[in-house]
């Protein structure tokens, strides 16, 4: 079906033709048939089907048909996706007098405030910045008559659902606005959001099998984790005639893979959420302009990344969430074009392969890597990223490194509760409490080893019988009097004799009779007394 059959404004049709759209895709045809009649829509469609143009054309035509120039808001989960939507919006509105503005974090307020002052026709923003501007009374959300929630499933994955609900409450009532919701997957949370925020929406479902089976050549290689880089090098040499997008699960893995590729002569950069916005956008622009052949990215950073003629997507790590697999391979073979999606299944992540295959309802063809597909890795044995900074294994606390003492929590200093000696203090109080504790309490752990069947405090404070106290008189201990012959006081416990310990808080030295070298003679004297 042609766009002209919807009787669109001539200037808008010129922009559509300039953008290279010849015929409507299935999602565009189904969406326009409902939105142009003023109805809310809930669209389930995979990445790469042309859904961005579907809601942009709808918004432009609805605004142009209105008596007064109304305003539209598009809520995007990520900055990269917001920039991508803005670029396509400016291309489609090339012959229209529209002000398209983006609003997201990582940049200053001044530019966005100037855009608000100049007037906004179409605003594309992330939830956090939109709420921030609204809280500062810099942006009036009640002025928008049309709202688009793009990538609704990703909003839930990233924890933005409450922010989206806050924005919707500040917009005009759902009966006074037109709402469009787009999601790649149909979950219960997304359905609940649609029911609560939309007015009798029309549901549009585009079968995912048309994307994952017909147009993408999918393969999976089973490989050991120690040989993944060698196999990746061979895959890039065999299939990577153009640009390649490599997906990993963790940010530090993206840094390491990019460094290893550069060490093997490939021009590669990583794309993660830790990069500054300007640096991230510069790398995306280089990749889109065919100046950067290889980009290693995480799922969140690459969400919404639209690249023309991308032939190869490599899942260096199998995604832990099934939906991410569809989003990843959707980067290639966009709008019906062909492409390769190759997955490397190692022993640590192969357990996630079966759920992915169940989700896409197909068995991913397994390929065997011949010996010539494994290329020598020039960086083998070298440490990169976090592994280079600390040789130990990364620990859940976020730190890594080798520990020479007891096993620490999070790679930092050993908790005080694990340290030995009298300085040990744990949850019983703060450091200041330690100075207020008596030596009796601090020495409790040492004496407990000597008396195991009865509490130490009870044994220690129990008064001695007068006839048993035979410790010699000494100036060191004026409270202890000698009974006969300078024999030290001994206590019997479980048929075993032991000497009472010297109080650790005392400034005085213990009696000379308690010296370890003299105990043997003392014991023999004591035994002779009771014969």
């Amino acid at each position: 079906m042609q766009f002209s059959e919807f009787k669109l404004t001539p200037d808008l049709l010129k922009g559509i033709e300039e953008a290279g759209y010849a015929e409507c895709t299935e999602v565009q045809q189904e969406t326009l048939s409902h939105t142009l009649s003023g109805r809310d829509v809930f669209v389930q469609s995979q990445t790469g089907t042309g859904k961005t143009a579907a809601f942009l054309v709808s918004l432009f035509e609805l605004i142009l048909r209105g008596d007064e120039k109304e305003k539209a808001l598009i809520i995007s989960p990520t900055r990269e996706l917001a920039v991508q939507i803005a670029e396509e919006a400016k291309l489609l509105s090339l012959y229209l007098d529209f002000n398209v503005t983006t609003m997201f974090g990582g940049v200053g307020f001044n530019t966005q405030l100037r855009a608000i002052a100049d007037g906004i026709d179409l605003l594309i923003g992330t939830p956090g910045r939109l709420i921030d501007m609204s809280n500062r009374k810099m942006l009036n959300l009640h002025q928008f008559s049309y709202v688009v929630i793009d990538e609704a499933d990703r909003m839930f994955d990233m924890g933005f659902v409450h922010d989206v609900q806050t924005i919707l409450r500040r917009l005009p009532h759902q009966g006074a606005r037109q709402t469009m919701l787009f999601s790649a997957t149909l979950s219960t949370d997304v359905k609940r959001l649609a029911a609560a925020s939309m007015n009798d929406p029309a549901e549009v479902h585009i079968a995912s099998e048309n994307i994952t089976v017909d147009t993408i050549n999918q393969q999976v290689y089973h490989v050991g984790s120690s040989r993944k880089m060698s196999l990746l090098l061979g895959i890039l040499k065999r299939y990577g005639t153009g640009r390649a997008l490599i997906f990993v699960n963790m940010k530090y893995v993206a840094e390491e893979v990019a460094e290893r590729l550069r060490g093997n002569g490939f021009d590669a950069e990583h794309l993660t959420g830790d990069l500054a916005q300007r640096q991230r956008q510069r790398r995306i622009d280089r990749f889109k302009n065919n100046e950067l052949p290889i980009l290693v990215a995480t799922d969140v950073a690459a969400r919404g990344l639209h690249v023309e003629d991308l032939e190869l997507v490599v899942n260096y790590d199998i995604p832990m969430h099934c939906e991410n697999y569809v989003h990843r391979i959707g980067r290639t073979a966009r709008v019906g074009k062909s492409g390769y999606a190759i997955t490397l299944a190692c022993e640590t992540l192969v357990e996630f392969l079966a759920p992915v295959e169940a989700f896409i309802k197909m068995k991913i063809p397994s390929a065997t890597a011949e010996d010539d597909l494994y290329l020598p890795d020039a960086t083998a044995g070298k440490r990169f990223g976090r592994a280079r900074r600390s040789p130990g294994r990364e620990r859940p606390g976020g730190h890594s490194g080798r520990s020479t003492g007891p096993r620490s929590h999070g790679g930092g200093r050993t908790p005080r509760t694990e340290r030995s000696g009298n300085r040990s203090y744990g949850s019983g109080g703060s450091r200041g409490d330690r100075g207020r504790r008596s030596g009796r309490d601090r020495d409790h752990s040492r004496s407990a080893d000597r008396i195991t069947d009865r509490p130490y405090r009870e044994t220690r404070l129990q008064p001695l019988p007068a006839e048993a106290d035979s410790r010699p008189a000494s100036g060191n201990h004026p409270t202890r009097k000698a009974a006969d012959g300078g024999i030290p006081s001994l206590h019997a416990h479980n048929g075993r004799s032991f000497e009472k310990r010297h109080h650790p808080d005392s400034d005085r030295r213990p009696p000379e009779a308690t010296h370890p070298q003299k105990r043997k003679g003392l014991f023999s004297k004591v035994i002779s007394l009771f014969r």
Side-chain angles (χ1 to χ4, degrees):
M1 186 175 183
Q2 302 289 333
F3 281 98
S4 58
E5 298 182 33
F6 289 102
K7 298 180 181 180
L8 302 177
T9 304
D11 289 339
L12 179 57
L13 283 174
K14 289 175 61 177
I16 293 173
E17 294 176 359
E18 190 76 17
Y21 292 101
E23 296 184 355
C24 295
T25 62
E26 184 179 359
V27 65
Q28 293 168 354
Q29 179 179 342
E30 294 292 333
T31 301
L32 290 173
S33 62
H34 295 292
T35 55
L36 296 183
S37 61
R39 191 176 179 185
D40 291 0
V41 292
F42 168 39
V43 182
Q44 180 197 5
S45 177
Q46 305 294 347
T47 301
T49 57
K51 61 182 177 62
T52 303
F55 62 74
L56 286 176
V57 172
S58 299
L59 293 176
F60 290 143
E61 183 62 25
L62 289 170
I63 295 175
L64 292 172
R65 289 182 182 183
D67 297 333
E68 298 181 0
K69 197 171 185 180
E70 298 175 305
K71 300 178 181 181
L73 172 66
I74 300 175
I75 307 174
S76 165
T78 64
R79 294 174 284 184
E80 288 73 23
L81 181 57
V83 172
Q84 180 63 51
I85 295 173
E87 292 178 355
E88 192 161 352
K90 293 177 181 178
L91 186 60
L92 291 173
S93 62
L94 184 62
Y95 300 98
L96 304 176
D97 185 17
F98 276 74
N99 291 330
V100 179
T101 304
T102 56
M103 193 170 291
F104 45 79
V107 296
F109 284 96
N110 294 333
T111 303
Q112 298 173 355
L113 289 176
R114 286 195 296 268
I116 294 175
D118 295 339
I120 298 176
D121 297 315
L122 176 61
L123 176 61
I124 306 141
T126 54
R129 180 51 63 95
L130 291 174
I131 293 178
D132 191 12
M133 298 290 284
S134 176
N135 291 339
R136 295 169 183 260
K137 307 299 182 183
M138 298 176 180
L139 177 65
N140 180 18
L141 294 174
H142 201 267
Q143 63 182 320
F144 297 101
S145 303
Y146 304 98
V147 181
V148 174
I149 305 174
D150 194 17
E151 303 283 6
D153 54 341
R154 178 57 64 180
M155 297 284 188
F156 284 92
D157 294 341
M158 300 177 67
F160 290 152
V161 58
H162 298 295
D163 292 340
V164 173
Q165 291 173 346
T166 300
I167 294 173
L168 292 175
R169 285 194 297 267
R170 299 181 183 182
L171 291 168
H173 188 266
Q174 60 190 45
R177 70 170 189 261
Q178 185 172 351
T179 308
M180 310 175 198
L181 188 147
F182 290 80
S183 178
T185 57
L186 186 61
S187 64
T188 303
D189 293 330
V190 174
K191 288 182 178 180
R192 187 180 298 112
L193 177 63
S197 61
M198 307 181 75
N199 183 24
D200 188 25
E203 296 189 13
V204 176
H205 301 277
I206 305 300
S208 60
E209 288 80 3
N210 294 336
I211 300 299
T212 58
V213 177
D214 297 339
T215 61
I216 301 177
N217 186 354
Q218 302 177 71
Q219 295 179 359
V220 59
Y221 287 93
H222 292 270
V223 57
S225 57
S226 60
R227 304 188 68 188
K228 284 176 70 174
M229 180 53 62
S230 298
L231 181 58
L232 177 62
L233 296 175
I235 291 173
L236 292 176
K237 184 176 180 181
R238 175 176 297 185
Y239 299 98
T241 56
R243 289 165 295 180
L245 184 59
I246 302 173
F247 283 99
V248 297
N249 292 341
M250 307 297 290
K251 291 183 285 188
Y252 76 91
V253 178
E255 299 176 14
E256 178 181 349
V257 171
E259 289 190 55
R260 288 188 179 277
L261 289 175
R262 288 194 295 269
N264 285 277
F266 289 91
D267 186 8
E269 295 287 355
H270 71 276
L271 184 68
T272 64
D274 289 343
L275 297 175
Q277 176 61 26
R278 184 175 299 179
Q279 191 176 11
R280 294 167 70 183
Q281 192 59 45
R282 187 184 303 115
R283 294 184 180 184
I284 292 175
D285 293 339
R286 287 186 59 205
F287 189 64
K288 288 183 177 180
N289 297 331
N290 211 7
E291 300 173 0
L292 179 65
I294 301 174
L295 187 63
V296 186
T298 57
D299 293 296
V300 174
R303 191 66 181 265
L305 182 62
H306 172 67
V307 183
E308 295 291 342
D309 300 327
L310 180 62
E311 298 179 356
L312 177 63
V313 170
V314 178
N315 292 308
Y316 189 82
D317 294 334
I318 301 178
M320 299 180 182
H321 299 284
C322 306
E323 297 85 352
N324 288 342
Y325 180 82
V326 178
H327 294 302
R328 288 181 179 186
I329 67 175
R331 301 300 103 201
T332 184
R334 298 182 69 90
V335 195
K337 295 182 180 179
S338 60
Y340 288 94
I342 299 177
T343 301
L344 305 184
C346 63
E347 67 276 8
T348 58
L349 296 173
V350 70
E351 61 181 296
F352 299 104
L353 180 60
V356 167
E357 293 176 335
F359 181 77
I360 63 176
K361 300 178 181 179
M362 66 166 290
K363 184 76 172 178
I364 302 177
S366 179
T368 302
E370 303 295 338
D371 292 339
D372 58 350
L373 194 58
Y374 292 93
L375 297 184
D377 179 13
T379 64
K382 297 182 180 179
R383 298 185 181 275
F384 293 86
R386 296 186 183 182
R388 178 178 56 191
R389 291 192 288 270
S390 57
R393 181 181 178 183
E394 186 186 6
R395 292 177 180 161
H399 302 280
S400 58
R402 247 178 227 163
S403 174
T404 56
R407 186 171 182 178
S408 60
H409 298 274
R413 294 182 62 189
T414 304
R416 291 189 172 98
T417 53
E418 292 184 4
R419 299 176 196 163
S420 60
N422 290 340
R423 294 179 61 88
S424 175
Y425 56 94
S427 59
S430 62
R431 178 184 285 267
D433 295 336
R434 184 186 58 186
R436 294 189 293 270
R437 295 184 181 183
S438 65
R440 178 177 57 202
D441 296 331
R442 293 201 304 266
D443 201 51
H444 179 254
S445 60
R446 292 188 297 177
S447 298
D449 294 336
R450 302 174 66 111
I451 306 176
T452 58
D453 295 346
R454 155 172 68 166
Y456 164 73
R457 186 181 298 273
E458 178 186 352
T459 303
R460 176 170 191 160
L461 298 181
Q462 183 177 1
L464 296 175
E467 62 273 16
D469 189 2
S470 55
R471 182 178 294 274
S474 172
N476 292 338
H477 273 280
T479 60
R480 298 175 183 172
K481 305 298 181 180
D484 54 355
I487 300 175
S489 174
L490 299 177
H491 298 265
H493 182 68
N494 291 341
R496 169 168 71 93
S497 297
F498 61 92
E499 180 188 0
K500 190 173 181 180
R501 296 180 60 91
H502 176 60
H503 197 290
D505 280 353
S506 176
D507 297 329
R508 307 170 182 85
R509 297 177 58 187
E512 294 295 331
T514 61
H515 195 279
Q517 296 179 355
K518 301 180 180 180
R519 290 180 181 176
K520 182 176 181 181
L522 293 176
F523 276 105
S524 61
K525 291 181 180 180
V526 171
I527 294 173
S528 64
L529 289 176
F530 292 97
R531 288 179 179 175

